[in-house]
Amino acid sequence: MHAFHAVQERVGGRVDAAYRQGNRVTPAYDSLMAKLVVHASTREDAIARAREALAAFTIAGPKQNLPFFTELLDEPEFADGSYSTALVARMRATPRKGS
């Protein structure tokens, strides 16, 4: 892995990661390189913390899905809690911003 940086632990969030900068990531790597957990007294505040934490991540080298999670947090259905598991399929059926 060329670079790995995650937000430092703080009140309202943590990162669980098995990888560190400099680790060798094989072609058969586990796609769950790190798990971000956030909490707050409201959904809106938790989503804001998640956005801030995602913005602080840097992963260079292996393919990763940080842009997808940033996109997910911007979905109105996700923000208001009315989403279902079909949300991802709908997101991928719609052309992405900048595509």
Side-chain angles (χ1 to χ4, degrees), residues 13-82:
R14 74 172 196 269
V15 174
D16 297 337
Y19 292 98
R20 301 285 183 257
Q21 185 165 327
N23 286 153
R24 182 171 182 269
V25 180
T26 68
Y29 73 94
D30 182 341
S31 61
L32 182 60
M33 291 185 270
K35 175 176 59 178
L36 171 64
V37 180
V38 296
H39 59 88
S41 58
T42 67
R43 182 176 190 82
E44 183 178 297
D45 288 345
I47 289 172
R49 285 182 179 166
R51 279 191 182 103
E52 183 180 314
L54 285 173
F57 263 94
T58 301
I59 299 176
K63 187 175 179 180
Q64 42 77 22
N65 56 7
L66 290 174
F68 168 78
F69 287 110
T70 301
E71 189 181 336
L72 178 66
L73 293 174
D74 290 336
E75 284 293 320
E77 288 176 64
F78 185 82
D80 69 18
S82 66

Side-chain angles (χ1 to χ4, degrees), residues 82-94:
S82 66
Y83 66 96
S84 72
T85 56
L87 176 58
V88 173
R90 284 194 302 278
M91 287 172 65
R92 290 299 167 247
T94 305

